[in-house]
Amino acid sequence: MHTMWKGSISFGLVNIPIKLYSATEDKDIKMRYLHSKCNNPIKYEKICPVCNEKVEQEQIVKGYEYEPGKFVVVDKEDFEQLAGMKNKAIEIVDFIQLEEIDPLYYNRSYFIGPGENGGKPFKLLKRAMEETGKIGLAKITIRSKESMAAVRVYDKGLVMETIYYPDEVRNIDHVPGIDEDFAINDKELDMAKQLIEQLTTPFEPEKYKDEYREALLDLIHHKISGDEIKVAAERPKTNVVDLMEALQASIDQTKTASEPAKTTTKKRKTTKKKEA
Amino acid sequence: MELKPIIPFEPVKTDQIPEGKQWISQVKWDGVRILTYNDGNRVRLFNRKLKERTSHYPELLNIQSYCHAKSVILDGEVIALGADGKPSFHEVMRRDGIRRMERVGQVRKQVSIVYMIFDVVFCDGQWINEFKLADRIEILSDIMIPGENIQLVPSFSDGNTLFEAVKKQGLEGIVLKDLNSKYAINGKDHRWQKKKNYRDLIAVVGGVTLRQGIVNSLLLGLYDDEGHFCYIGHAGTGKLTASDWRELTEKIQPLVVSERPFINKPQRINEAIWLRPVITIKIQYMEWTEGRSIRQPSIQAFVDVSPEECIFETL
């Protein structure tokens, strides 16, 4: 697994070196945009519409539009200064119960693995959290964005879920029609509850799969095998046995040139293996 | 029983070919080191960094078709041949570098692989790493059935002759092994020695130059003992195709920085675009110059090695 971030978990005076790994992956099939005339990937150019010229990467700065058409430039040093305030730590500020966080708050999941010399304290923290049934609420800075996160026990290790700040979660009151009142009679309610009971099963994630993706993959494979013959024809047929024979020929050549062949037991074994 | 992946025995570098009857030599096949673990139930593949490669090489999973042993750990090199019929690191990385596993089936049709097996560490429920190499080779030839994708690496008695032949065929080099040696798990010592025909290293890309908006050469660096990132040369030729260069041009966009990452000043400094040292790449070269730079570097393939590991190596 690819390390995404190196740092430490800190709480109180304890500091545990850790590494983060992405816990989930997006399996969407990546499509590229092609020029329909020639099937080559198109290329994006950055152009300034005012100067009417192509803009190179090093000529680009970031700016904040504080009123239409007016910008303040926030340059690299500004960002670095802000990021410099934070140390590279997941700082656990409180321990709470998992149920206290509504799933709505969860954003992304990362596996936490021990960093260099962090094996033991890592295990210790995991055991302690397991036995108290608590999860850690932490502050973390990844890529100059500060987030809240929940650190919890998962299977044989720990995971960290970044969670939204309360002001990033929208207010449910703003959903149209949510406050309208209706009279509901008991018969209707019972029927709905019965239906739920009938459809209730244990959660088995293996049961579910992305059928759209499978269908798309199928389609792609069909298209590929359509011109498979063409691809195969382009590749020259080479064989490692040819190469090994060429090598043996070179050896024999060298030998006859320099000295009479030394036949050894090892040589015999080699031949035996080739015939096997 | 679950077989835990091991870190394989590595040869040390040598310039001399050791003398004596206990030494055999084998071709050093230029590919990726893969160990096959069959615990009797399940076949799994791991590389020498213990990263799993099981789904990368489906050709190797039907182990009954090429190995009699009920359970086994095999050590070898997975190679792919280039258009010239020689092992090509670039080609094998087209397989080993796959990260979206649904692509394996399709790339497999374009790049076929051969597993060049040279050792056996565990066989029929027993660890045999303490056996002498001569005995392990004997066992290996008894249990293996070579086929289209499976070959045994032959052993030769005369290292000098094999090295001459390897040079003539343009192969990577030879490995010299002591017939009395045990298999040192996670070991690297003089009982296995490699003599290279051509040299290679893994470098970090710290900058690029462009031609008509497309990357056309890479400025390469390595870390020295003090952790300084040192420029060692630039490479613009090798195995990358026009579309590899185009893809690279897009890939570097988020890595562009304004300050030079190298501690020393490279040539071509005026046109260079500096990058955060993240991308790592395998480079073949002729030799080191006195100014700690490499001669005639040639790009092989992008690799998944972390930049901190790319340091100057002492011979």
Side-chain angles (χ1 to χ4, degrees), chain B residues 136-248:
Chain B
R136 297 200 309 273
I137 290 180
E138 197 77 58
I139 292 172
L140 192 62
S141 59
D142 285 345
I143 59 175
M144 297 304 298
I145 316 157
E148 198 189 339
N149 301 110
I150 307 290
Q151 290 293 328
L152 281 170
V153 175
S155 304
F156 300 90
S157 52
D158 183 359
N160 287 303
T161 316
L162 182 63
F163 192 71
E164 284 311 307
V166 155
K167 277 207 288 202
K168 216 172 273 174
Q169 295 297 327
L171 302 176
E172 186 190 4
I174 62 172
V175 183
L176 298 135
K177 297 177 178 176
D178 183 342
L179 278 173
N180 299 314
S181 63
K182 297 168 180 174
Y183 187 97
I185 292 171
N186 196 8
K188 180 171 183 171
D189 62 51
H190 65 279
R191 291 172 299 169
W192 281 22
Q193 305 182 12
K194 59 181 172 191
K195 181 169 164 59
K196 291 238 194 172
N197 174 30
Y198 50 73
R199 302 175 183 213
D200 51 37
L201 54 77
I202 292 171
V204 191
V205 181
V208 297
T209 60
L210 302 179
R211 191 171 52 208
Q212 289 164 354
I214 303 288
V215 174
N216 75 333
S217 85
L218 310 178
L219 309 186
L220 307 167
L222 291 177
Y223 288 93
D224 69 9
D225 294 341
E226 278 116 58
H228 297 309
F229 187 51
C230 307
Y231 174 78
I232 57 161
H234 68 267
T237 55
K239 299 282 170 68
L240 299 190
T241 62
S243 82
D244 288 336
W245 287 111
R246 275 199 302 272
E247 259 177 49
L248 180 67

Side-chain angles (χ1 to χ4, degrees), chain A residues 207-276:
Chain A
K207 274 198 328 201
Y208 312 98
K209 54 187 179 195
D210 186 343
E211 278 160 21
Y212 175 80
R213 175 162 56 102
E214 285 187 359
L216 181 55
L217 263 182
D218 241 30
L219 174 92
I220 290 170
H221 284 315
H222 266 98
K223 294 207 173 204
I224 294 168
S225 47
D227 48 36
E228 185 191 309
I229 308 128
K230 206 172 79 195
V231 177
E234 282 173 18
R235 288 202 65 79
K237 254 213 156 333
T238 50
N239 188 326
V240 74
V241 176
D242 297 344
L243 180 56
M244 285 159 86
E245 275 164 11
L247 191 76
Q248 186 63 52
S250 298
I251 289 176
D252 296 343
Q253 218 179 10
T254 319
K255 275 199 175 149
T256 38
S258 57
E259 52 182 309
K262 261 196 278 177
T263 336
T264 66
T265 47
K266 270 292 62 68
K267 189 74 208 313
R268 188 183 52 80
K269 259 182 204 161
T270 312
T271 346
K272 192 178 90 190
K273 264 180 283 168
K274 269 195 187 158
E275 286 159 2

Side-chain angles (χ1 to χ4, degrees), chain B residues 249-266:
Chain B
T249 308
E250 294 193 10
K251 199 170 143 193
I252 61 163
Q253 298 300 336
L255 301 177
V256 173
V257 290
S258 51
E259 254 179 65
R260 187 181 79 211
F262 302 109
I263 187 160
N264 49 341
K265 270 195 186 170

Side-chain angles (χ1 to χ4, degrees), chain A residues 8-269:
Chain A
S8 59
I9 294 183
S10 71
F11 64 105
L13 292 172
V14 186
N15 220 7
I16 305 169
I18 58 108
K19 291 177 180 174
L20 289 186
Y21 309 86
S22 208
T24 55
E25 59 188 327
D26 190 352
K27 293 230 166 159
D28 284 354
I29 293 161
K30 194 179 151 204
M31 292 285 186
R32 298 193 60 179
Y33 293 105
L34 311 178
H35 186 193
S36 62
K37 196 172 91 185
C38 64
N39 278 1
N40 279 303
I42 55 166
K43 153 181 164 193
Y44 296 91
E45 282 200 337
K46 290 165 182 152
I47 288 164
C48 172
V50 176
C51 308
N52 199 15
E53 63 182 38
K54 214 181 130 192
V55 184
E56 299 295 340
Q57 188 63 34
E58 63 270 15
Q59 300 173 299
I60 297 177
V61 292
K62 284 183 179 170
Y64 176 77
E65 190 167 27
Y66 61 95
E67 62 182 70
K70 293 201 166 174
F71 300 89
V72 276
V73 171
V74 183
D75 58 28
K76 267 194 61 184
E77 279 91 63
D78 294 328
F79 282 114
E80 274 163 14
Q81 261 177 13
L82 285 174
M85 285 156 42
K86 312 290 170 202
N87 52 358
K88 284 186 113 188
I90 301 171
E91 195 187 336
I92 299 186
V93 285
D94 292 306
F95 283 94
I96 58 168
Q97 300 287 346
L98 176 64
E99 305 80 58
E100 291 178 71
I101 305 175
D102 190 278
L104 183 64
Y105 279 83
Y106 292 129
N107 187 356
R108 291 212 55 191
S109 309
Y110 301 89
F111 289 132
I112 305 177
E116 276 93 45
N117 306 320
K120 193 179 168 196
F122 178 83
K123 270 272 142 58
L124 186 71
L125 175 66
K126 190 229 155 197
R127 276 282 295 278
M129 287 177 65
E130 204 164 28
E131 290 182 13
T132 54
K134 292 287 196 314
I135 67 165
L137 200 61
K139 277 190 167 178
I140 174 173
T141 312
I142 295 184
R143 297 215 182 90
S144 77
K145 182 177 156 43
E146 189 179 289
S147 309
M148 297 288 291
V151 176
R152 65 184 180 93
V153 175
Y154 172 82
D155 205 335
K156 47 181 121 168
L158 293 173
V159 294
M160 183 184 84
E161 326 270 358
T162 57
I163 55 184
Y164 291 107
Y165 282 109
D167 65 357
E168 290 174 307
V169 175
R170 290 175 170 179
N171 194 332
I172 195 165
D173 288 342
H174 299 164
V175 177
I178 198 87
D179 281 330
E180 268 181 84
D181 241 337
F182 295 98
I184 289 170
N185 68 43
D186 290 346
K187 231 172 121 187
E188 285 169 335
L189 186 61
D190 281 342
M191 250 175 66
K193 276 155 81 175
Q194 250 179 37
L195 193 61
I196 290 175
E197 287 303 325
Q198 276 170 20
L199 291 175
T200 300
T201 67
F203 178 51
E204 291 166 38
E206 311 80 52
K207 274 198 328 201
Y208 312 98
K209 54 187 179 195
D210 186 343
E211 278 160 21
Y212 175 80
R213 175 162 56 102
E214 285 187 359
L216 181 55
L217 263 182
D218 241 30
L219 174 92
I220 290 170
H221 284 315
H222 266 98
K223 294 207 173 204
I224 294 168
S225 47
D227 48 36
E228 185 191 309
I229 308 128
K230 206 172 79 195
V231 177
E234 282 173 18
R235 288 202 65 79
K237 254 213 156 333
T238 50
N239 188 326
V240 74
V241 176
D242 297 344
L243 180 56
M244 285 159 86
E245 275 164 11
L247 191 76
Q248 186 63 52
S250 298
I251 289 176
D252 296 343
Q253 218 179 10
T254 319
K255 275 199 175 149
T256 38
S258 57
E259 52 182 309
K262 261 196 278 177
T263 336
T264 66
T265 47
K266 270 292 62 68
K267 189 74 208 313
R268 188 183 52 80
K269 259 182 204 161

Side-chain angles (χ1 to χ4, degrees), chain B residues 35-94:
Chain B
L35 279 77
T36 303
Y37 300 82
N38 173 22
D39 61 7
N41 293 316
R42 192 150 77 112
V43 179
R44 300 178 76 185
L45 310 173
F46 286 86
N47 69 12
R48 65 190 172 93
K49 297 261 169 90
L50 308 186
K51 294 212 169 123
E52 181 148 17
R53 286 290 180 266
T54 307
S55 25
H56 286 75
Y57 304 111
E59 293 95 329
L60 308 183
L61 300 185
N62 181 16
I63 197 159
Q64 283 86 14
S65 71
Y66 65 86
C67 178
H68 291 306
K70 287 187 206 74
S71 58
V72 78
I73 300 178
L74 299 169
D75 189 358
E77 194 89 4
V78 169
I79 60 166
L81 301 182
D84 58 357
K86 304 283 151 58
S88 159
F89 186 73
H90 184 259
E91 285 296 304
V92 78
M93 282 312 287
R94 288 175 65 191

